[in-house]
Amino acid sequence: MDSREICTDRRLADFLVAYLGAWPDEEGLTVVGSDERTRPGWDGTVRDVVGVATPTGGVLSVRPSVADAVRAAVPTWADVPARLPAALDRPDAVVFSGVFRWTMDPAALPDVGEWVPALDPRVPQWLHPFGGQVLVRFDEDGRYAAGVGIKRHNSAGMEISVGTEEAHRGRGLATALVAQAARWIIAAGAVPIYLHDPANIASDRTARSAGFPDLGWRIIGVGTPR
């Protein structure tokens, strides 16, 4: 199954076009110069390189000013790790890759959380930057146990981030919250996205159990080592 067959839901295609600048029906690597890479994202940070790779193709979205240089230097996905930093004139940068998942059929698990303001005093600081409402499970004493923040990339796609307090892990709270948040995103007319480090076994397990399959897609970014 290629990326064109997988990308059947209009919301996923709309998200990718808006987020990356294009989503062509072509195999291999497509480099796109997009003004989106010069604008602040969901948290106010400008991400000047974002890629989504499928088993057969995908898009590497960069600032328009460097698009020609990247096309010339990085002809295939295999060339991205070694050649992209220099093409961006960022030789010290490192390319990273994460698992890119989405679903239109989240697991039918019971709702376990409630939507509260991100700045509610009971909500931990890591959820504050998400703004708006966050999805939280409180314990019997009214203290935070687990929660989900929504990265509102655009009206067609929203990304789920989840965290659980150590004392409440192993109870399936993260999985249930992710599935609940995914249903909320779908009802809002968008596609739920879930990204994670390939080495994060807990995130992999949570995603699969919540109904987010791994279809071999990857999210690509560039960072500077500390």
Side-chain angles (χ1 to χ4, degrees):
M1 182 178 292
D2 66 23
S3 62
R4 289 163 290 181
E5 293 172 312
I6 292 174
C7 198
T8 54
D9 192 281
R10 189 70 257 166
R11 281 173 282 195
L12 178 60
D14 288 347
F15 165 69
L16 292 167
V17 170
Y19 189 50
L20 301 173
W23 189 256
D25 290 335
E26 298 178 7
E27 295 186 357
L29 169 61
T30 299
V31 176
V32 172
S34 173
D35 288 335
E36 287 299 306
R37 302 284 72 79
T38 66
R39 299 168 182 158
W42 69 273
D43 59 351
T45 300
V46 176
R47 293 169 176 82
D48 60 352
V49 179
V50 177
V52 175
T54 78
T56 59
V59 167
L60 187 64
S61 177
V62 299
R63 290 178 287 111
S65 61
V66 301
D68 288 342
V70 172
R71 289 190 192 98
V74 190
T76 72
W77 283 110
D79 297 312
V80 169
R83 298 187 180 184
L84 180 58
L88 299 170
D89 197 24
R90 295 171 57 187
D92 294 332
V94 174
V95 177
F96 61 85
S97 172
V99 181
F100 180 102
R101 304 177 187 243
W102 78 93
T103 188
M104 294 303 296
D105 187 25
L109 299 171
D111 291 349
V112 298
E114 59 183 283
W115 293 96
V116 299
L119 297 182
D120 184 299
R122 299 170 296 172
V123 172
Q125 189 171 6
W126 78 267
L127 281 168
H128 293 179
F130 292 93
Q133 301 277 305
V134 294
L135 182 62
V136 175
R137 170 62 178 256
F138 296 105
D139 66 16
E140 298 81 1
D141 297 318
R143 293 173 298 197
Y144 170 87
V148 159
I150 306 296
K151 299 180 182 179
R152 295 164 173 84
H153 292 299
N154 55 55
S155 61
M158 304 184 196
E159 180 188 341
I160 295 171
S161 293
V162 63
T164 305
E165 289 291 282
E166 185 172 359
H168 296 279
R169 292 174 186 170
R171 303 179 185 180
L173 292 181
T175 299
L177 286 171
V178 168
Q180 183 179 348
R183 291 191 292 271
W184 179 88
I185 292 170
I186 292 169
V191 58
I193 308 297
Y194 189 103
L195 311 179
H196 68 89
D197 186 324
N200 192 326
I201 304 301
S203 285
D204 173 76
R205 182 171 57 248
T206 294
R208 286 187 287 105
S209 299
F212 286 77
D214 182 355
L215 298 177
W217 287 39
R218 296 295 181 264
I219 186 78
I220 308 298
V222 173
T224 301
R226 295 180 180 178

